[in-house]
Amino acid sequence: MGYSRLDGPVQFLKGVGPKRADLLKKLSIGTARDLLYHIPRRYDNISTITPISSLEVGMEASVRGEVVSKGVLPTRKGLKIFQAVLRDDSGMITVSWPGRPWLDRKIREGDRILAQGSVKFYHGRQFHPREFTIVSRASHDAEADDPNTVFVSYPSTDAIPQWVLRGMFEKNLDFLLEQIDDDEYLPEGIRKALGLPTLSEAFRTLHRPTHPEEAEEGRRRLAFDEFFYLQLVQALARHRDQEAEPGIEFLRTNEHIRPLHESLPFELTGAQARVLREIFADMASPRRMNRFLQGDVGAGKTLVALFAILLAVESDRQAALMAPTELLAEQHALKLRAMLEPLELPVALLTGSVPTRARSEILESLREGRLPIVVGTHALIQDDVRFARLGLVVVDEQHRFGVRQRMALGEGEDDAPGAGGSPTSESRERPDVLVMSATPIPRSLALTLYGELDLSILDELPPGRTPVRTLLRRPSARDEVYSGIERAIEEGGQAYIVYPLVEESEELDLPAATAEYERLSGEVFPGRTVGLLHGRLPADEKERIMAAFRDGEIDILVSTTVIEVGIDVPNASIMVIEHAERFGLSQLHQLRGRVGRGSRESYCVLISPSGKESWERLEIFASTTDGFEIARADLRLRGQGDLFGAQQHGRDPLLRFADLTRDEALLLRARELARRIIDADPELADPEHAAVKARLEGEHAERLRMWKVG
Ligand code: ADP
Ligand code: MG
C-alpha cells in the first residue's frame, strides 16, 4: 500500500504544531487526512444572512456583524446576562445570552460574530442566539468577513475556535487537495456517469464553496464513497461466502410443498409468489443463499419461510428456524406444527428452558438426522448442537440478533475453531440462510446494514384485512378507553393492555406492570378475567397464559412488550398501549400488528401525555398502517445513527456524510459498482483497482475484519 502524506500527523501542517495538534485530538483529528475530512457543519453567505435592519420580532435568522460594545448585566432575579451590540452595514442590534456571563471573557470588541437564533422583544428588539461562532478576531483576517464569501462553520472547541480552524484550512487546503488526488478511485467515465465531482473537487466545495449549495455536491461525493466502501466490504463478504464452499442445489420434488399449498385456505399473494420464486431460485442454484426477507407485519413471511423449509426437507436436508426470544420460538413452533399437521412432519422446539433429558433427545435426533425441522432460540447455536444434514437456516427478527451472531451463523467448524456459535453440519455443506425481519425497515437502511445479503421485499398484504383504527388519547381519557374495552369484551372480543419496558431492565418496570395488573383486575374490570404476561415468567407459565388468552379464557392480557412479536390471537380486537411515547414507531407498528388479525373491527389506542413532539410523532403513526412508511418516518425522526447499533465501531459513525433518507439512489449505484468490481476482480489485483485496494486495506481494515473478509 502506498504511503500517503495525508496519513502523516496533522502536527506537520502549516500553522498547526505540537500544541494545536494535541488540542485537535478533541475533534478526532490526528492525521492530515482527518483534517481534510473535518467538514463544516453549516454554510452562510449573503443569501442566508439577514441584514440587522431587517430583523423583526419573532423571526428566526442568521446574523453577522462586528461587536461594538459588550458587558454583563445583572437582573433583579440574580440572573446574569451577557450582552453585545452587533453592527453590520445596515444597523445594530443587542444580542443577549441570558445566564452566560462567562462569554464576556471569550468575546471581544471588534470580533466578528455569526449567530443563529431568534429575535425577541425586551425593551426593544433583541437577538437571542441558539448558536454562534466567532468568525474572525479583531486583529485577524478582516477580508474573511466579506459578505459575499461563504462563511463555513466547523465543529470547534474553545481551544480550537473557528478562526483557528479557518486559518489552518487557508494555509493547507491547496496542499491537502493535491494529496487527495491519489485517493481517487473512480475512473473518469464512471464518475461522470454518476454525476459526481472528483475527490479533490468535492473537498474544495466542502471547505471553500463559492455558494452554499455547491457544498452539497461535495457531500454527495463523500456519501457515495461511504456507501461504496461499505458495499465493497459487503460484496467481498458475499463473494467469499459464496465461493469458499459451494452451496446446496436443492431439488424440488413437491412431496411436501404441494400438499401444503393445497391445504391453504387462501391463495398466495402476488408478492409471496414472487419472493418464493426468488428464494427457490437461490436455493436451487449451486450458490449459497444469503437472503434477507423484508415484509410488513402480517404480510405472510412465516408462510414463505415454511415453503423454503419444505424445499430443504424435500431435498433430504434439515432446516432450523431461529427466533430471538423463547416466546417467539414457541409461537413459531406452534404455528409450524399446526400447518404441518396434515403433512405429518414433526417440528422440534429447542430453547434454553427445554429440560436436559428432552434436550439431549432432540440433540441426538438432530445429529442422526431423524429430525427434519427444529425451531429454537440461541440454544440452537450452542457448541454441542450438531446436525446431520443442515440445509437451511431461517433467522427471524433479524434486528435483535446483531451482526456478530448472524456472522457466526452457518459458519463451518473450520472457520471458527472452538469458537462455537454455529449450528454445524456434520457434512461439509454449509446451509443456505434466510433472514426475516420483524419490522420493515427502509430499503436504504436494509441495504446498508445487510449489503452482503440479497433483498426480497414482501410489499403486499393478503386481501380482506380490515385496517386497524388507531386512536390517540390523553391519560385523562383512560376511563373512556376502559369502557371501550368493556364493550368489546361484551361483544365477544379480547384486549391487550401493553406497558413499556426498558430493555435489559425488566426488573425495574415489572412492579409498574404488576401494580397496574392488580388495579385493572381488582378495580377496573372486576367481572373479567385479566392475565399478566411478562418476560420474567418461566417459559411454561408464559405459554400457559398465552394459550389461555388464545383460547378465550383470558379477556384482557396485561403485558410488557414481550407480546411485541409472534402472538397471533385473531379474536383480540383492541390494543391499548400505555406511555406510547416511550416506544419507537416501528415497535408500535409491531405491537399494533397483534390486533386486526381476525374479522373483528379492531382498534389500537395509544395513551400518552401531551408533549408536542411526541404527540406529533404518534400522530404520524396513527395516520398510516403502512409499515414501510412508518419505518421511513422513524428513520427520519430518530436519525440513522441511532439505528446502527452493533455496526458502529470505534469512534466513527458508520455513515458521516450519507443520509439514508435522501441518498438511496446513490446507495444503489454504489452497491452496483462495488458488486461489479468484486465479481470481476475479487482480489482487486487489477492495477486499475490499486487505489480502491489501498483505501480498503488502510482505512477500512477494521470493517474488513468485522465482516470477516480481512
Ligand atoms: P408475518 O410473519 O409476515 O407477520 P404471517 O406469516 O404470520 O405474517 O401471516 C399472518 C397471517 O396471514 C397468518 O394467519 C397467515 O396464515 C395468513 N396468511 C399468510 N399468507 C396469506 C395469504 N396469501 N392470504 C391470506 N392469508 C394469509
Ligand atoms: Mg443454493
Side-chain angles (χ1 to χ4, degrees):
M1 180 183 120
Y3 175 75
S4 164
R5 291 167 81 176
L6 291 176
D7 295 320
V10 69
Q11 170 179 346
F12 300 115
L13 293 179
K14 287 182 203 148
V16 182
K19 204 169 137 237
R20 279 183 176 163
D22 201 45
L23 297 169
L24 282 169
K25 283 187 197 144
K26 268 228 173 75
L27 291 166
S28 300
I29 299 169
T31 64
R33 179 181 276 106
D34 292 341
L35 184 66
L36 189 58
Y37 273 88
H38 192 66
I39 301 300
R41 55 183 165 75
R42 57 174 293 142
Y43 300 89
D44 285 285
N45 78 344
I46 203 153
S47 69
T48 61
I49 287 168
T50 308
I52 287 174
S53 63
S54 316
L55 293 173
E56 285 169 29
V57 174
M59 263 170 93
E60 285 285 320
S62 289
V63 298
R64 183 154 82 173
E66 183 183 337
V67 175
V68 292
S69 65
K70 58 157 195 164
V72 175
L73 280 183
T75 63
R76 251 176 285 148
K77 287 178 192 150
L79 179 73
K80 285 186 174 153
I81 302 179
F82 174 67
Q83 289 193 332
V85 174
L86 211 62
R87 182 180 64 196
D88 70 5
D89 289 345
S90 72
M92 295 201 276
I93 192 166
T94 301
V95 184
S96 278
W97 284 270
R100 303 182 68 185
W102 63 86
L103 286 176
D104 196 31
R105 272 174 281 130
K106 217 178 134 177
I107 293 174
R108 302 178 207 155
E109 276 174 27
D111 284 353
R112 285 165 225 278
I113 283 182
L114 172 68
Q116 292 84 38
S118 52
V119 188
K120 307 218 164 155
F121 189 86
Y122 290 104
H123 317 290
R125 286 185 318 164
Q126 271 193 5
F127 193 75
H128 285 222
R130 265 178 289 107
E131 275 189 68
F132 79 96
T133 46
I134 298 170
V135 174
S136 58
R137 284 297 191 197
S139 51
H140 291 74
D141 55 17
E143 110 266 28
D145 206 27
D146 174 353
N148 288 307
T149 61
V150 178
F151 182 75
V152 297
S153 304
Y154 290 100
S156 59
T157 62
D158 278 353
I160 302 281
Q162 284 307 316
W163 57 276
V164 169
L165 281 164
R166 281 180 58 83
M168 286 181 194
F169 280 106
E170 251 151 54
K171 293 191 188 83
N172 297 291
L173 187 60
D174 290 333
F175 167 75
L176 296 172
L177 292 181
E178 250 168 58
Q179 300 299 312
I180 197 75
D181 255 349
D182 295 342
D183 280 15
E184 186 59 76
Y185 62 93
L186 282 178
E188 198 178 325
I190 294 180
R191 183 177 60 72
K192 289 204 166 138
L194 292 166
L196 295 171
T198 63
L199 273 175
S200 164
E201 279 162 8
F203 281 104
R204 201 270 306 150
T205 67
L206 284 161
H207 289 289
R208 203 184 276 158
T210 54
H211 194 271
E213 265 98 82
E214 200 187 33
E216 169 61 11
E217 282 176 45
R219 185 201 67 83
R220 287 185 72 242
R221 170 65 211 255
L222 298 198
F224 181 86
D225 286 10
E226 279 182 336
F227 284 143
F228 174 76
Y229 282 104
L230 192 56
Q231 291 291 329
L232 198 69
V233 172
Q234 292 166 337
L236 269 171
R238 177 174 181 267
H239 180 83
R240 304 250 165 119
D241 188 68
Q242 288 175 346
E243 297 303 302
E245 283 143 273
I248 304 162
E249 291 179 51
F250 291 90
L251 201 68
R252 181 167 165 187
T253 67
N254 277 331
E255 179 191 352
H256 302 305
I257 290 173
R258 181 167 301 136
L260 176 71
H261 197 194
E262 282 167 0
S263 75
L264 294 177
F266 47 72
E267 293 293 314
L268 293 182
T269 63
Q272 281 173 319
R274 187 191 70 234
V275 164
L276 268 176
R277 277 197 299 276
E278 290 166 0
I279 292 172
F280 282 177
D282 259 11
M283 289 179 71
S285 94
R287 281 190 314 120
R288 202 178 160 215
M289 174 169 75
N290 226 334
R291 192 167 275 280
F292 185 34
L293 173 59
Q294 274 239 72
D296 210 338
V297 188
K301 292 182 292 291
T302 315
L303 186 61
V304 167
L306 180 57
F307 275 111
I309 287 171
L310 291 184
L311 176 55
V313 175
E314 282 183 5
S315 304
D316 199 27
R317 298 303 200 295
Q318 291 164 294
L321 193 164
M322 195 158 136
T325 64
E326 294 208 351
L327 207 61
L328 188 57
E330 288 155 14
Q331 279 283 299
H332 272 311
L334 290 177
K335 250 189 191 170
L336 295 199
R337 279 174 189 154
M339 285 193 277
L340 293 180
E341 214 178 314
L343 280 70
E344 293 180 5
L345 280 172
V347 176
L349 175 65
L350 190 64
T351 65
S353 50
V354 170
T356 320
R357 277 254 323 269
R359 181 170 189 275
S360 26
E361 269 168 38
I362 293 173
L363 292 194
E364 198 185 309
S365 344
L366 287 176
R367 201 162 42 234
E368 291 173 359
R370 280 182 281 122
L371 208 50
I373 303 169
V374 62
V375 177
T377 53
H378 290 94
L380 282 175
I381 49 174
Q382 302 301 308
D383 265 345
D384 56 347
V385 181
R386 291 277 184 279
F387 291 80
R389 298 177 306 280
L390 183 59
L392 173 70
V393 178
V394 179
V395 187
D396 194 12
E397 311 297 326
Q398 166 60 24
H399 64 280
R400 298 230 193 155
F401 275 106
V403 205
R404 304 304 320 144
Q405 279 148 314
R406 182 165 48 71
M407 293 317 291
L409 221 136
E411 269 164 16
E413 302 165 73
D414 294 345
D415 294 359
S422 349
T424 321
S425 189
E426 296 294 353
S427 68
R428 282 274 151 253
E429 295 172 342
R430 295 203 302 168
D432 278 16
V433 177
L434 179 67
V435 179
M436 298 197 287
S437 81
T439 329
I441 58 175
R443 182 188 171 86
S444 58
L445 185 61
L447 292 176
T448 299
L449 292 182
Y450 317 116
E452 75 282 20
L453 308 181
D454 292 305
L455 186 61
S456 280
I457 298 184
L458 271 186
D459 49 5
E460 184 185 346
L461 291 183
R465 300 250 168 95
T466 338
V468 177
R469 285 186 53 191
T470 304
L471 310 170
L472 202 45
R473 294 289 180 263
R474 314 247 180 237
S476 56
R478 211 176 260 128
D479 284 344
E480 271 170 59
V481 176
Y482 291 152
S483 315
I485 292 181
E486 192 60 53
R487 269 196 309 280
I489 296 174
E490 251 156 54
E491 287 163 17
Q494 287 165 281
Y496 294 101
I497 302 180
V498 180
Y499 290 86
L501 185 74
V502 181
E503 203 123 11
E504 314 296 342
S505 71
E506 187 149 352
E507 287 172 47
L508 284 178
D509 291 285
L510 192 53
T514 313
E516 279 300 296
Y517 161 71
E518 313 253 288
R519 187 179 70 85
L520 289 164
S521 57
E523 298 165 27
V524 186
F525 300 106
R528 304 294 179 193
T529 320
V530 184
L532 175 65
L533 187 69
H534 59 76
R536 284 178 71 215
L537 292 173
D540 54 345
E541 178 71 3
K542 280 188 273 185
E543 194 149 356
R544 197 188 58 73
I545 293 172
M546 272 169 30
F549 186 62
R550 185 197 54 213
D551 298 341
E553 287 155 23
I554 289 175
D555 302 310
I556 301 167
L557 188 61
V558 174
S559 158
T560 57
T561 51
V562 289
I563 61 151
E564 186 182 333
V565 283
I567 287 192
D568 194 3
V569 181
N571 194 50
S573 57
I574 291 198
M575 170 167 293
V576 176
I577 302 175
E578 292 277 356
H579 291 289
E581 76 285 352
R582 288 215 229 155
F583 295 87
L585 294 189
S586 296
Q587 206 182 5
L588 287 174
H589 180 64
Q590 187 55 241
L591 283 167
R592 180 169 60 182
R594 299 302 109 201
V595 289
R597 301 176 81 89
S599 51
R600 283 173 196 285
E601 161 122 73
S602 299
Y603 296 88
C604 175
V605 187
L606 309 177
I607 299 187
S608 177
S610 49
K612 193 165 171 284
E613 224 171 274
S614 60
W615 197 261
E616 277 170 8
R617 212 167 60 87
L618 295 176
E619 271 171 349
I620 295 178
F621 174 75
S623 72
T624 177
T625 53
D626 179 337
F628 283 100
E629 194 178 325
I630 288 165
R632 281 190 295 271
D634 212 14
L635 173 63
R636 205 172 55 239
L637 294 168
R638 281 164 71 193
Q640 60 198 27
D642 223 36
L643 300 168
F644 288 140
Q647 296 271 348
Q648 302 281 26
H649 61 95
R651 53 160 203 242
D652 295 322
L654 191 62
L655 301 173
R656 278 177 66 198
F657 305 105
D659 177 346
L660 292 177
T661 62
R662 297 192 300 173
D663 296 330
E664 184 174 313
L666 216 49
L667 166 58
L668 287 171
R669 308 187 78 167
R671 173 182 171 92
E672 201 184 288
L673 180 64
R675 284 194 167 188
R676 184 142 45 86
I677 289 177
I678 295 302
D679 284 345
D681 180 20
E683 302 298 325
L684 297 175
D686 189 329
E688 197 183 317
H689 298 141
V692 172
K693 193 177 164 84
R695 279 303 287 285
L696 192 66
E697 290 172 356
E699 201 163 324
H700 303 279
E702 171 127 355
R703 220 169 254 172
L704 284 172
R705 234 182 353 268
M706 206 170 81
W707 257 269
K708 296 218 172 168
V709 286

